[in-house]
Amino acid sequence: MKVILLNGSRREKGCTYTALSVVADTLKENGIDAEIVHALPDDAIVDAVAEKMKTADGLVIGSPVYWASPSGEIISFMDKLAGKAGAALTHKVGATVTSARRAGTTATLDVLNKYLSYHQMVSVASNYWPMVHGNTPEDVKKDEEGLQIMRTLGRNMAWILKCIEAGKKAGIEAPATEAKIMTNFIR
């Protein structure tokens, strides 16, 4: 089993990456392969992730807070990914993570979670909002509660993935999906 973790920050090894690293390490400790991708909205990166999602079992979308919203980079990336790999996302296990100096995290999570809902993904929760606080990676590493939330998220995701795998082995299939009709409302 494999999970792709998307770092939607402009900083490749910043606060969001630090939070995602904790989730990835916890997944690995629980027998789940995990790969963090710096999710810049470059077509080659989007194409690579779209290809990986064909065989991946889960996705974690991470973003810092910019003006009480996810980064423009992750929004653009997810919009492109949805167009290229929408069917490959359907019924996968998903989670969202955000990082902030102080505020805007719940608004950011709300936007990111809509990508999970639209693709009928199984949304994994932690024991609190999946967020970390800090202005630098070093600050995030001092956010004991945030790190504990990331570890719990990783354990919960590993458990859900293993439950789904056991269901598949028992002959239980994902529900059928109706064809989606996309309408362009922009005139």
Side-chain angles (χ1 to χ4, degrees), residues 31-186:
I32 308 295
D33 188 21
E35 177 185 355
I36 300 175
V37 175
H38 193 205
L40 298 176
D42 174 90
D43 285 340
I45 300 171
V46 174
D47 289 344
V49 170
E51 189 63 31
K52 290 173 193 233
M53 286 310 302
K54 291 178 182 176
T55 57
D57 302 286
L59 179 71
V60 178
I61 309 167
S63 178
V65 172
Y66 286 115
W67 301 100
S69 296
S71 71
E73 288 81 1
I74 197 66
I75 295 293
S76 179
F77 187 94
M78 289 305 301
D79 287 351
K80 289 179 177 190
L81 184 64
K84 292 183 179 189
L89 299 173
T90 303
H91 297 138
K92 301 283 172 104
V93 176
T96 57
V97 168
T98 189
S99 64
R101 186 175 69 82
R102 287 184 190 249
T105 49
T106 55
T108 298
L109 290 169
D110 181 53
V111 172
L112 295 177
N113 282 326
K114 289 175 181 159
Y115 288 100
L116 305 182
S117 294
Y118 179 80
H119 291 97
Q120 303 172 55
M121 296 177 81
V122 176
S123 185
V124 178
S126 189
N127 59 320
Y128 195 66
W129 300 112
M131 62 181 71
V132 294
H133 289 93
N135 205 33
T136 65
E138 293 72 30
D139 290 345
V140 170
K141 291 175 185 174
K142 295 176 189 171
D143 179 10
E144 292 181 29
E145 182 180 21
L147 297 177
Q148 178 268 319
I149 292 166
M150 295 303 116
R151 288 188 297 272
T152 301
L153 181 66
R155 283 191 301 273
N156 289 349
M157 186 168 229
W159 180 69
I160 293 293
L161 286 164
K162 291 175 182 179
C163 288
I164 290 171
E165 184 65 22
K168 287 177 183 177
K169 287 179 181 176
I172 300 171
E173 296 182 25
T177 338
E178 292 185 31
K180 297 178 187 173
I181 299 172
M182 299 298 293
T183 304
N184 184 354
F185 291 104
I186 301 172

Side-chain angles (χ1 to χ4, degrees), residues 20-31:
L20 290 172
S21 294
V22 174
V23 177
D25 289 345
T26 305
L27 286 165
K28 290 174 186 174
E29 289 168 7
N30 285 274

